[in-house]
Every structure is written in structure tokens, then in C-alpha cells.
Amino acid sequence: EVQLVESGGGLIQPGGSLRLSCAASGFAVSRKYMIWARQAPGEGLEWVSVLYSGDKTDYADSVKGRFTVSRDDSENTLFLQMNSLRPEDTATYYCATSYITPGGFDYWGQGALVTVSS
Amino acid sequence: DIVMTQTPLSSRVTPGQPASISCRSSQNLIYSGIADLSWLHQRPGQPPRLLIYRISDRFSGVPDRFSGSGTGTEFTLKISRVEAEDAGVYYCMQAAHFPYTFGQGTKLE
């Protein structure tokens, strides 16, 4: 069964760092397109980053230079390292994969809430 | 960046009646004859759920009352007969070009 479980969210002061994890089961993270998306409270979805075709990455302009996506194949886990956090980064962060649907993200985690506030 | 514009932003539909949501992209999403345009549904407090991918392919387990159609820049999600469980917010998403982008969302009541 395909499952994604995020962890690592919490309350962090502006300028701080946090690392989110997305533990995958039922498939190999290294073999699939993986994305991070976020949703600010009461707002719509915003794409954050992608990891695909081995080690290729891309980022939304709003996080470029501050966030880094990576994976650990031994743990079958996707990570999002978030540095220089800002209040506007406050959101629920979701990881998702394109497991069997080309061009569509068919499995999503439950989300991890990140709150950036002093 | 490709801007995805959804209309309407909200809609109230009587159960049993049809519903339709449009999504317009600022650039053509079709390349090599395919377009990575998908539709997702989100209920309050839940993660998004994939309904439709590549414009018109229904994801496994999605009821056949949901259908997708479209061309390079104009896309439509139709629900033939709305049920109470269809309430929530619907998003179109393009994964044809980086950065991937979502529409603003359409709230269906």
C-alpha cells in the first residue's frame, strides 16, 4: 500500500530552520517524481519543490535559495530543509508523489503544519 | 510562470444537478500531444485527492460522474450529478512546465 507520512513541523521563530520529513512506503522515492506543496491557513495550494529523475530539483521562486529538497534512499524518505524562515512560510506542507498517474500527483501525505512566528 | 485561472470561485449546486468548473492556463500546456493538467478535490482538514490527470483520465476509484475535457489552454471539470460528498474545493494543477502551478480553487457547496 502506498503511504506518505510527513513529520517535523512545529513552531519556529523567523529566521530559523526546520527540516520536514516525508516517509514513504509501498514504493521507492528514488524512482518517482516527488513534490512538496503548501497551503497557508484558509488559502489555496502552492507548489514548493520537486525532486525527479534521480537528483534533479526545482523550486518556487518564493523559496529558492532558502529551501532544499533531498532524499535518503536507505530510509526511503523525502526531506525539505527550510532555512531563513519567514512568517509567510506558515502553512501546512504536503508531500505527494506521481506513483502511477503520469503528470498527476496521486498520493498525498496528511500534511505537517509549520508556524513561523515570534 | 504559467497562471492558472479558475471560474467560478464558488458555486452552490443542488444534489442531483450537474456542476462545471473551468480552468484557463496562460500558456499552452500541450507538448508532444499530451498535457499534464490535473484536477484535485480537497475537503476541509484533508489533503488534496487526485480526480483527473492528463486532462481527461480518471484516477482509480474516482466515480464516473466526474469527467475532464479541454484543449491546450482551456480545461473543464464536470460533475454529471452532484452528491453531498462532492462538497469542498476543487483545484486544477499544471505539471507541464516548472514552476508547477495551481488554480485559485473553486469552492463547491
Side-chain angles (χ1 to χ4, degrees):
Chain A
E1 180 190 5
V2 174
Q3 195 171 13
L4 297 169
V5 179
E6 298 98 338
S7 60
L11 175 63
I12 188 76
Q13 291 189 337
S17 297
L18 209 58
R19 189 178 80 159
L20 299 181
S21 300
C22 170
S25 56
F27 72 101
V29 166
S30 61
R31 293 176 176 268
K32 301 294 181 182
Y33 272 64
M34 301 292 300
I35 65 167
W36 287 97
R38 67 185 180 183
Q39 188 168 38
E43 301 295 323
L45 295 166
E46 179 188 15
W47 174 77
V48 172
S49 70
V50 63
L51 179 64
Y52 68 105
S53 297
D55 293 313
K56 295 182 181 178
T57 61
D58 207 331
Y59 300 90
D61 286 345
S62 58
V63 307
K64 201 170 288 185
R66 300 188 298 124
F67 290 13
T68 303
V69 61
S70 64
R71 72 174 195 272
D72 183 320
D73 292 344
S74 66
E75 296 183 6
N76 204 31
T77 297
L78 181 75
F79 300 103
L80 185 67
Q81 178 67 42
M82 304 184 293
N83 299 330
S84 303
L85 282 161
R86 306 166 180 169
E88 55 264 37
D89 295 319
T90 294
T92 296
Y93 285 73
Y94 297 101
C95 62
T97 186
S98 179
Y99 177 64
I100 55 173
T101 57
F105 291 88
D106 41 20
Y107 289 90
W108 293 68
Q110 284 298 310
L113 178 62
V114 173
T115 303
V116 185
S117 175
S118 54
Chain B
D1 296 3
I2 296 177
V3 177
M4 306 298 288
T5 303
Q6 287 183 229
T7 54
L9 296 183
S10 66
S11 179
R12 179 164 290 186
V13 182
T14 302
Q17 294 301 304
S20 180
I21 300 170
S22 295
C23 176
R24 172 179 293 177
S25 62
S26 60
Q27 298 178 34
N28 193 327
L29 300 183
I30 293 181
Y31 67 99
S32 301
I34 57 175
D36 288 338
L37 183 284
S38 59
W39 290 94
L40 304 108
H41 176 222
Q42 186 178 34
R43 298 187 180 105
Q46 295 292 316
R49 180 177 70 109
L50 181 67
L51 298 174
I52 303 287
Y53 63 101
R54 289 219 163 145
I55 300 179
S56 59
D57 290 337
R58 203 178 303 115
F59 181 50
S60 174
V62 174
D64 60 8
R65 64 179 182 274
F66 290 92
S67 64
S69 63
T71 59
T73 59
E74 300 277 351
F75 308 95
T76 303
L77 175 71
K78 291 184 178 178
I79 310 174
S80 59
R81 294 173 303 279
V82 170
E83 297 188 6
E85 65 183 23
D86 299 337
V89 182
Y90 291 81
Y91 296 93
C92 59
M93 175 188 177
Q94 70 82 17
H97 303 285
F98 295 134
Y100 295 168
T101 44
F102 293 92
Q104 320 97 298
T106 295
K107 186 173 184 178
L108 186 67
E109 298 177 288

